[in-house]
Amino acid sequence: MLRIATWNVNSVRARLPIVTAWLATERPDILLLQELKCETDAFPHESFTDLGYHAVVVGQKAYNGVAIVARRSLDIDRPLTVLPGDDTDGQARYLEATVAGHRVASLYLPNGNPVDSEKYPYKLRWLARLRAHAAHLLASEQSVVLGGDYNIIPEPEDVYAPEEWRGDALFRLESRQAYRALVHLGLTEAYRALHPVVPGQAPAYTFWDYQAGRWPRNQGLRIDHFLLSPRAADRMEACTIDRQPRGLDKASDHTPVVLTMRD
DNA sequence: ATGGTAGACCCTCTA
């Protein structure tokens, strides 16, 4: 079995005690990180090395930043450090590499709010670029695992109050349509494929805002996803959301999602 | 309509 986790940590340095404790306990083979909020050279490699891991990092000052962390025994090969399609985009939001025979990406999609600013068209352009690149990856017929913070609420069941989020960049129709167009290339969204919506069941969220008591009220969003190519989906065994780290003191506003793949 | 929280950084921006 191969276990791959994705986690928006909202500053890797501020979150280091929580992230390293979780890694030491859960021991995933691969950990995809988002929102490092540090420059590439400031990534705390030693803390991961001490636990038997190594990392490839794409950072920038203060904002964004993504990494692929893997067990030292697993090489991180042929890294791609920018999402193709816009040479002028300097934001550190995409990292892809080959690990354990899978083409794995750690991605951090733009939030896009407010929708009447230039941030929203940037989000839609980023989604279009991701779709074009995903089509290219699918054509290669590799096992592809695209994990990260998509900043997309796919369906009303994935948010505590859909009517309040109707106009938000994470849930508005254009965003969801662009995400659906990506999925409909032939990708499988792991969590929902394994946990179909059942009326009356407890909702599944991966993010709870720091503000307004969203965590204690369990008013969250499901915005962290794994999208799998057919070769990867064939090996999908389990996908779980680990809520435990969100309840800790000094927690990230996101919690890890863990994908288990058969060998 | 507002404020509520967190992180980075040069006090305002992003989420």
Side-chain angles (χ1 to χ4, degrees):
Chain A
M1 294 289 191
L2 187 81
R3 294 172 65 237
I4 308 176
T6 183
W7 196 356
N8 177 324
V9 291
N10 185 21
S11 171
V12 69
R13 289 178 293 184
R15 218 62 62 209
L16 205 51
I18 286 178
V19 172
T20 53
W22 187 85
L23 253 191
T25 307
E26 297 299 322
R27 306 292 304 170
D29 299 285
I30 303 169
L31 173 60
L32 311 176
L33 297 175
Q34 301 89 35
E35 267 208 279
L36 305 176
K37 290 189 169 180
C38 70
E39 294 186 275
T40 304
D41 293 342
F43 186 86
H45 284 280
E46 331 69 47
S47 300
F48 292 88
T49 307
D50 291 348
L51 292 167
Y53 289 86
H54 64 138
V56 173
V57 178
V58 178
Q60 76 178 78
K61 191 176 183 178
Y63 304 118
N64 310 318
V66 290
I68 297 177
V69 179
R71 287 181 187 270
R72 190 156 40 219
S73 58
L74 299 174
D75 290 333
I76 303 171
D77 288 326
R78 296 176 50 226
L80 176 66
T81 60
V82 289
L83 180 64
D86 182 357
D87 295 339
T88 67
D89 184 0
Q91 298 193 26
R93 296 182 174 275
Y94 193 84
L95 175 60
E96 174 190 310
T98 300
V99 186
H102 304 272
R103 194 66 180 161
V104 178
S106 176
L107 63 92
Y108 177 43
L109 237 126
N111 176 295
N113 282 305
V115 295
D116 59 356
S117 73
E118 70 291 339
K119 292 177 183 182
Y120 191 60
Y122 173 63
K123 177 180 195 157
L124 294 180
R125 287 198 306 273
W126 211 95
L127 270 162
R129 287 163 62 197
L130 181 59
R131 180 167 176 258
H133 184 60
H136 168 78
L137 287 170
L138 283 164
S140 73
E141 300 197 358
Q142 302 172 90
S143 172
V144 179
V145 177
L146 306 176
D149 178 0
Y150 282 75
N151 268 315
I152 294 280
I153 301 163
E155 299 294 338
E157 292 79 11
D158 300 315
V159 52
Y160 64 93
E163 60 295 342
E164 289 175 26
W165 285 77
R166 191 190 306 274
D168 191 277
L170 279 65
F171 191 56
R172 61 173 19 222
L173 202 53
E174 296 96 311
S175 306
R176 294 166 61 203
Q177 283 173 337
Y179 174 80
R180 273 206 298 271
L182 167 66
V183 173
H184 286 172
L185 290 173
L187 297 164
T188 298
E189 195 262 278
Y191 186 85
R192 195 51 85 203
L194 290 164
H195 306 273
V197 172
V198 176
Q201 75 176 355
Y205 303 134
T206 64
F207 164 93
W208 298 258
D209 201 293
Y210 290 121
Q211 303 181 66
R214 297 301 185 208
W215 167 251
R217 295 163 194 244
N218 193 28
Q219 295 175 332
L221 317 174
R222 198 174 69 87
I223 54 177
D224 299 272
H225 310 299
F226 280 107
L227 297 187
L228 311 182
S229 72
R231 287 251 167 106
D234 284 347
R235 295 179 180 276
M236 173 177 71
E237 176 74 18
C239 186
T240 58
I241 299 168
D242 184 357
R243 295 167 59 101
Q244 184 267 339
R246 183 61 182 86
L248 299 173
D249 192 35
K250 303 291 282 177
S252 170
D253 41 7
H254 296 249
T255 213
V257 183
V258 184
L259 173 71
T260 305
M261 313 260 292
R262 289 184 288 273
D263 296 322

